[in-house]
Amino acid sequence: MRVVTSLNSDWLFSAAFAEASVGLLQSGVSVTLPHNAVDLPMNYFDETCYQREFTYQKILPWDPHFAGKDVCLVFDGAMANAVVWVNGTQVATHRDGYTPFRARLTGHLNPGRNLVTVKIDGSENPSIPPFGGRIDYLTYAGLYRDVWLHITPLTSIAWLKVESPDPLASVKTVRVHARIEGFTPAAAGNPLVGRLFDPVGRLLAEVTTVVTHASASLAFTGLTGIRLWELEDPVLYRISLTLQTAGGEDQISTLFGFRSARFTANGFRLNDRPLKLRGLNRHQSWPYVGYAMGRRAQERDAEILKHVLHCNMVRTSHYPQSPWFLDHCDRIGLLVFEEIPGWQHIGGSEWKQEAVANVRRMIERDWNHPSIVLWGVRINESADDHAFYTETNRLAHELDPTRQTGGVRCITHSELLEDVYTMNDFIQGQEEAPEHTGAALVLREPSAVTGLSDSVPYLVTEYNGHMYPTKRHDQEQRQAEHVRRHLAVLNAAYRHPGIAGCIGWCMFDYNTHKDFGSGDRICHHGVLDAFREPKFAAFAYASQCSPSEAVILKPVTYWTRGERNIGGTLPLIILSNCEELELRSGSLVKRFKPDATSFPHLPHPPFILDHHDFSAEELGRWGASWDDVAFIGFVGGREAIRVGFSADPVPTSLEVAADQTTLVSEEKDSLRVIVRALDQSGQIMPYLNAVVFIQAVGPVKVLGPSTLTLVGGCAGFWLETTGEPGPVTLMASAERFSSVTLRLSVIDSRPGTDLIRDRELQEAHHRGQSKDSTLTDRQQNELR
């Protein structure tokens, strides 16, 4: 029986490395993974501080279960160049920071204690993608993802791949391909049993084949009553494979979905229905701790994209991201464009070989995710390279003929070797460049970009971003223009049937190298800030959802007389999916319809209130009284939402909002906390830069400083568990506000976690799909 155990706890970390000592236990500090080798300040730092070598060590006691088995460590991610030793013998190297790798310990373990040593080299090695040029993001060093201990029979199932060739047919088929690790002639003739389970864990079908080679395939045919994986109903099925050999039984499982996804010259189709893609690019970074955040934070980002920003797609810019993030995209129905690591630069032959290997690693890791609909097999914004990109496309199609390829570029008339022409179109704002000639554009026509006579599948993969960086505390007028630019691109993409959709740059602000950003080591390009707190532009995306999902009403204003140039609040954009809007201010009552003239193609155009809608007296001339205001949104003729602003805002309450109230002790769990200074109307006070003191009592720690300054009226931080269960008291205090106390708790993990044999079964467990006829009664009870 395969056993997979988390090996995240009790690592010894040293901020140095000496190869002569790899077989000796060195001094250091005890850490739990995921771990960031060097935590950084929020801004104004030297990013070269982590670009060096570090050491991680762990004592692995001998376990009787190791005897006669294959024992491996699986690293989900180590940045950026890793070497692994056990008892002084090198057992693995890996020259990529974003894909998993195995360190085979079999034959190197001794009775008693065994020493695992890992060297992490965080330097920007020019022979490894994405390095060699300048990159507009940071690659924080460390063992920043999970590490797992795998114990399997000597002959085991290395991986399984699921294909549903006819997902839209009334009678469906599932093909399963598997690679057998450690296959020998003695293993020939052993049975391989495949089982298909429905979303609630009921066995639907069982098929048996005989293993004759190091690869094996089987098929489930005649399947009826199968539900499709849809964005609104992301149904997941499960395949398990069980291999019987003389050395024991091995079992592996994966979740998957039945769906078709196709980019065409007339747009994107999901399950043969047209769908305009609306998304954002995401980095996998957080303030202070870089990449080193675990499952909960990864899942929360997916939830923000889907349920707060109401996007239907995310691009994993510019590298494969956490399996936890992708797993959650599968569960909640969020489409993914995943790409290999890189940013503009193409290196030499060794570098290219590593990039081609990254194509294989990415696809073999993630080919069973129904959320992934496009493989990115070109280095982001790189020049054409016929031989290089012919090979990356060839390999992608060989590994996964069911998905199309894309290659993100920023140049026009680029050679199209991929299936989808994916373009970073930063034309909006180019009219401000001194060398620009011609009219101002929002998006270019696909044919003008491709230079091709025939229409091809086309997707806009970046826009805005560095063309109009905007901080959450910027002047209201700049933020309104930021909103308008995002709305303009969305409107243009919805207008053109040949544009599959648009993926904006980007989800949230992120730390970067000195060569980019605002000089503070931050690119303020997001529609959220780095703590995932929305800017006004976030609601340009959120407001495009149906009112049945959520009713959105966000005036792009602080409602002040003198914040904008010249004064007043006009023109005033109100982002909403309501059908009608009413404004009430003093004795003034006016109704408005969405501005379908300026934005005729959006599902939900904004309301735009301008000077022609009011007399000078109605909103008050300069020097006249400034009154409170209420905005009321109507859906179906009824009031659906109301938002009010005070004309004389004063500090009223300190809001401390946590994403959840319960954490888990056994894993390295975290939760986000946002602190907001609110006035009497519940609105954020954007220019109240108060100091907030945070105190956390209990088995948690604050990531980053515990003394915060409100920026734009807000501050954020994460709490992280320290390994023990217990109650948590979180206190926040600031001058001019009453102190706030939150009661949280850290609970034990569910029993039996270490018996869950792979990530897919763990995912099935968390979805309530834990029943598996191959589990023992004891394991069934522990899973429950």
Side-chain angles (χ1 to χ4, degrees):
M1 178 70 71
R2 172 184 298 245
V3 175
V4 173
T5 306
S6 171
L7 216 65
N8 284 345
S9 60
D10 300 321
W11 286 82
L12 200 65
F13 171 73
S14 173
F17 174 76
E19 188 161 356
S21 303
V22 295
L24 303 174
L25 187 63
Q26 302 169 34
S27 61
V29 295
S30 180
V31 300
T32 299
L33 309 183
H35 181 257
N36 188 37
V38 179
D39 288 348
L40 298 174
M42 183 66 210
N43 50 26
Y44 294 107
F45 49 76
D46 179 4
E47 65 269 22
T48 63
C49 64
Y50 63 76
Q51 296 173 23
R52 53 194 174 92
E53 295 177 339
F54 303 92
T55 304
Y56 291 85
Q57 292 187 307
K58 184 172 178 63
I59 297 296
L60 184 64
W62 173 263
D63 188 313
H65 291 98
F66 294 168
K69 301 293 184 181
D70 198 28
V71 182
C72 292
L73 296 183
V74 177
F75 295 81
D76 277 353
M79 184 58 69
N81 190 355
V83 185
V84 183
W85 293 263
V86 59
N87 297 325
T89 300
Q90 183 176 314
V91 294
T93 62
H94 192 65
R95 289 161 51 85
D96 173 57
Y98 297 104
T99 52
F101 67 98
R102 290 174 176 260
R104 193 165 184 261
L105 308 186
T106 307
H108 302 288
L109 297 173
N110 303 318
R113 301 200 318 167
N114 294 275
L115 178 64
V116 176
T117 301
V118 182
K119 180 185 80 170
I120 294 295
D121 186 350
S123 63
E124 297 187 355
N125 186 335
S127 66
I128 303 174
F131 306 122
R134 292 180 176 86
I135 52 175
D136 179 21
Y137 54 93
L138 299 184
T139 55
Y140 312 84
L143 287 179
Y144 73 94
R145 289 185 185 160
D146 301 288
V147 177
W148 309 86
L149 176 66
H150 283 222
I151 306 172
T152 64
L154 296 177
T155 302
S156 62
I157 306 166
W159 50 250
L160 68 88
K161 176 186 177 186
V162 181
E163 296 176 347
S164 51
D166 50 1
L168 303 185
S170 58
V171 180
K172 296 177 174 50
T173 299
V174 175
R175 297 174 185 158
V176 183
H177 309 282
R179 180 175 178 272
I180 308 303
E181 185 78 22
F183 178 83
T184 64
N190 287 318
L192 179 67
V193 181
R195 296 182 177 90
L196 172 64
F197 297 90
D198 74 4
V200 296
R202 292 178 298 222
L203 182 64
L204 293 180
E206 183 174 309
V207 177
T208 301
T209 190
V210 173
V211 173
T212 58
H213 299 89
S215 59
S217 298
L218 51 82
F220 299 89
T221 58
L223 301 173
T224 60
I226 298 296
R227 296 161 58 193
L228 294 178
W229 186 90
E230 305 271 13
L231 297 188
E232 302 79 16
D233 187 23
V235 177
L236 294 175
Y237 290 77
R238 185 162 58 86
I239 292 280
S240 72
L241 293 183
T242 305
L243 176 65
Q244 297 284 352
T245 68
E249 176 185 286
D250 186 39
Q251 194 259 354
I252 191 171
S253 172
T254 188
L255 298 173
F256 74 102
F258 291 87
R259 63 105 182 97
S260 71
R262 199 74 187 164
F263 290 85
T264 76
N266 296 312
F268 176 74
R269 302 183 73 84
L270 181 65
N271 296 327
D272 205 31
R273 294 192 300 274
L275 175 68
K276 188 66 74 170
L277 298 174
R278 183 178 72 245
L280 290 162
N281 287 266
R282 175 196 184 246
H283 275 302
Q284 61 170 20
S285 58
W286 284 263
Y288 311 118
V289 297
Y291 288 167
M293 289 290 257
R295 173 178 180 165
R296 178 101 64 169
Q298 303 287 347
E299 292 177 344
R300 181 59 182 153
D301 269 8
E303 291 165 358
I304 290 171
L305 281 159
K306 171 80 175 187
H307 299 305
V308 177
L309 296 167
H310 294 281
C311 293
N312 56 28
M313 178 168 244
V314 59
R315 173 177 168 227
T316 64
S317 51
H318 303 284
Y319 38 76
Q321 297 187 2
S322 166
W324 296 124
F325 178 77
L326 297 175
D327 290 343
H328 210 46
C329 290
D330 291 343
R331 283 196 300 272
I332 66 177
L334 180 64
L335 299 174
V336 178
F337 172 15
E338 186 172 44
E339 64 185 356
I340 58 174
W343 201 80
Q344 296 187 344
H345 170 77
I346 299 176
S349 58
E350 181 183 1
W351 193 100
K352 290 179 181 178
Q353 290 173 11
E354 201 65 38
V356 172
N358 284 338
V359 173
R360 177 179 294 278
R361 295 164 183 152
M362 174 181 72
I363 294 177
E364 288 187 348
R365 188 193 74 164
D366 292 332
W367 51 23
N368 293 326
H369 287 285
S371 58
I372 296 176
V373 295
L374 191 63
W375 297 123
V377 297
R378 180 183 175 116
I379 302 303
N380 174 68
E381 294 188 344
S382 60
D384 288 342
D385 189 316
H386 179 82
F388 178 34
Y389 290 134
T390 295
E391 177 59 16
T392 60
N393 278 277
R394 183 204 64 77
L395 180 59
H397 288 128
E398 174 188 295
L399 293 172
D400 183 10
T402 70
R403 286 182 179 87
Q404 293 165 291
T405 60
V408 174
R409 68 264 286 157
C410 60
I411 52 177
T412 59
H413 298 192
S414 169
E415 183 183 23
L416 180 61
L417 296 171
E418 301 81 25
D419 301 307
V420 184
Y421 201 110
T422 46
M423 178 68 177
N424 291 351
D425 191 350
F426 289 106
I427 193 65
Q428 184 177 214
Q430 284 286 356
E431 66 275 8
E432 299 176 15
E435 67 275 11
H436 179 81
T437 59
L441 298 173
V442 175
L443 287 179
R444 286 170 279 201
E445 284 292 314
S447 59
V449 173
T450 66
L452 301 173
S453 57
D454 295 329
S455 297
V456 297
Y458 187 88
L459 175 67
V460 178
T461 42
E462 291 183 32
Y463 52 90
N464 287 346
H466 69 282
M467 301 300 291
Y468 203 79
T470 303
K471 304 172 184 67
R472 196 173 49 76
H473 54 282
D474 272 342
Q475 185 196 31
E476 180 182 307
Q477 202 157 347
R478 183 175 185 87
Q479 297 207 56
E481 174 62 12
H482 190 224
V483 166
R484 189 203 63 78
R485 293 188 182 211
H486 279 276
L487 287 172
V489 175
L490 287 167
N491 183 70
Y494 273 100
R495 176 191 68 83
H496 201 301
I499 298 178
C502 56
I503 308 173
W505 191 264
C506 58
M507 180 185 175
F508 51 79
D509 299 342
Y510 56 96
N511 288 125
T512 189
H513 287 76
K514 69 175 181 61
D515 311 285
F516 305 93
S518 296
D520 56 355
R521 301 301 202 280
I522 300 175
C523 277
H524 299 273
H525 297 173
V527 300
L528 312 174
D529 71 10
F531 297 96
R532 284 57 169 173
E533 182 72 355
K535 304 175 188 178
F536 286 117
F539 297 91
Y541 294 83
S543 61
Q544 301 312 309
C545 75
S546 168
S548 62
E549 294 180 61
V551 179
I552 306 296
L553 178 61
K554 186 65 175 180
V556 183
T557 184
Y558 302 130
W559 195 250
T560 61
R561 165 63 56 70
E563 160 65 5
R564 295 193 179 199
N565 300 347
I566 304 178
T569 61
L570 302 178
L572 175 56
I573 301 172
I574 299 169
L575 299 163
S576 181
N577 52 8
C578 292
E579 297 162 358
E580 196 172 12
L581 175 77
E582 185 172 281
L583 177 149
R584 298 180 184 178
S585 181
S587 61
L588 178 65
V589 178
K590 288 209 170 190
R591 287 244 180 167
F592 302 89
K593 293 288 188 181
D595 186 358
T597 301
S598 301
F599 299 95
H601 307 289
L602 287 178
H604 300 285
F607 298 87
I608 300 182
L609 284 53
D610 211 339
H611 293 280
H612 60 76
D613 295 309
F614 303 92
S615 68
E617 290 73 21
E618 283 180 325
L619 283 184
R621 295 181 182 275
W622 185 260
S625 175
W626 188 250
D627 295 326
D628 296 350
V629 71
F631 298 96
I632 305 167
F634 293 83
V635 177
R638 296 184 177 182
E639 180 178 332
I641 189 171
R642 180 181 295 233
V643 176
F645 291 84
S646 297
D648 58 342
V650 293
T652 302
S653 62
L654 192 67
E655 181 182 50
V656 182
D659 283 341
Q660 68 270 350
T661 59
T662 303
L663 298 98
V664 174
S665 65
E666 193 170 79
E667 60 188 82
K668 192 173 184 180
D669 203 1
S670 62
L671 66 80
R672 182 185 63 142
V673 181
I674 298 293
V675 181
R676 305 180 182 98
L678 304 181
D679 66 17
Q680 63 269 42
S681 295
Q683 296 293 340
I684 290 175
M685 309 193 75
Y687 304 123
L688 182 65
N689 300 324
V691 175
V692 179
F693 301 95
I694 302 297
Q695 184 179 5
V697 179
V700 296
K701 66 177 182 179
V702 176
L703 298 181
S706 56
T707 300
L708 312 173
T709 300
L710 299 182
V711 178
C714 297
F717 61 93
W718 277 263
L719 291 178
E720 185 176 86
T721 56
T722 57
E724 298 294 328
V728 174
T729 301
L730 178 65
M731 294 166 284
S733 59
E735 189 178 355
R736 305 177 70 187
F737 293 99
S738 299
S739 298
V740 178
T741 300
L742 293 186
R743 305 292 181 184
L744 311 171
S745 61
V746 180
I747 62 172
D748 286 316
S749 297
R750 294 176 185 265
T753 301
D754 61 331
L755 296 175
I756 299 176
R757 291 149 297 149
D758 55 34
R759 187 195 316 281
E760 291 75 29
L761 277 182
Q762 186 169 352
E763 290 305 300
H765 166 51
H766 282 277
R767 284 176 44 83
Q769 301 175 15
S770 58
K771 186 175 182 181
D772 183 342
S773 58
T774 66
L775 296 179
T776 65
D777 289 341
R778 173 171 170 262
Q779 288 172 321
Q780 287 279 8
N781 290 333
E782 288 176 321
L783 283 173
R784 294 192 189 101

